[in-house]
Amino acid sequence: MTGGAPGAAAHRRRDARRNRELIVEAAREVFREQGLTAPLDVVARRAGVGNATLYRHFARRADLVDAVFRDQLSGTMAAGDEARAADDAWAGLTGYLEVVFTVLAADRGTNDLMTTSLEGVAALEAVHAHNHRTLDELLRRGQTQGSVRPDVVVEDVLFALAALGRAVPALTAATTAEAWRRPLALLLAGLRPAPSELPLPASALTAGQLNATLAGL
């Protein structure tokens, strides 16, 4: 009996690790499809475990969200580091926002996470602080280089990006996966010290697409 106890304990630990992995993977899928407000019993069913098992591993929704998105958010932070290393601040800014919006368009859960407030998610708090530093540095350097209008502050940009980012899922559902590029280009043009005459990417919304987008917000 003494020889069997350690083996049984090791088996329980393996089962616990496997259940945790199943829950995290199921939550990643459910959050991507339905957003962060998806019922956790849906996550448990997809993982093939009971609700009690889910809550034993993740007592709070914030804990599960942190486990699901920690790696993905670290990728966004890496993109910010690369942007800040660019000699041309405007190129760094536009490249960084393209990475961010590509993620927002592809994953409903990440969009919810980055455009709304959810307390207790350590990875999110870190990426928000990193995002603020990245944008603030690029704006200030862009103003010094003459590529960004001098009266813009980081809070202006964060507000506009949050509003646009929040609309991305409804916009892409009503149009195409790349439809966010046009409003982002318009937003960026507003940061320039002089109007840009570069052609806008993607097509303008039709009246029907606009109505469908607004209905999905």
Side-chain angles (χ1 to χ4, degrees), residues 29 33 49 75 85 113 121 180 213:
E29 295 174 358
E33 297 164 4
V49 303
L113 190 61
V121 181
W180 54 267
T213 299

Side-chain angles (χ1 to χ4, degrees), residues 9-29 43-44 46-49 53-54 56-58:
H11 181 72
R12 287 194 296 272
R13 288 194 296 270
R14 286 195 299 271
D15 283 348
R17 286 195 298 270
R18 179 58 178 159
N19 284 339
R20 180 185 174 88
E21 292 168 359
L22 289 171
I23 292 167
V24 170
E25 184 56 35
R28 183 175 290 112
E29 295 174 358
V43 174
R46 190 170 297 191
V49 303
T53 299
L54 186 150
R56 187 159 56 246
H57 286 280
F58 301 100

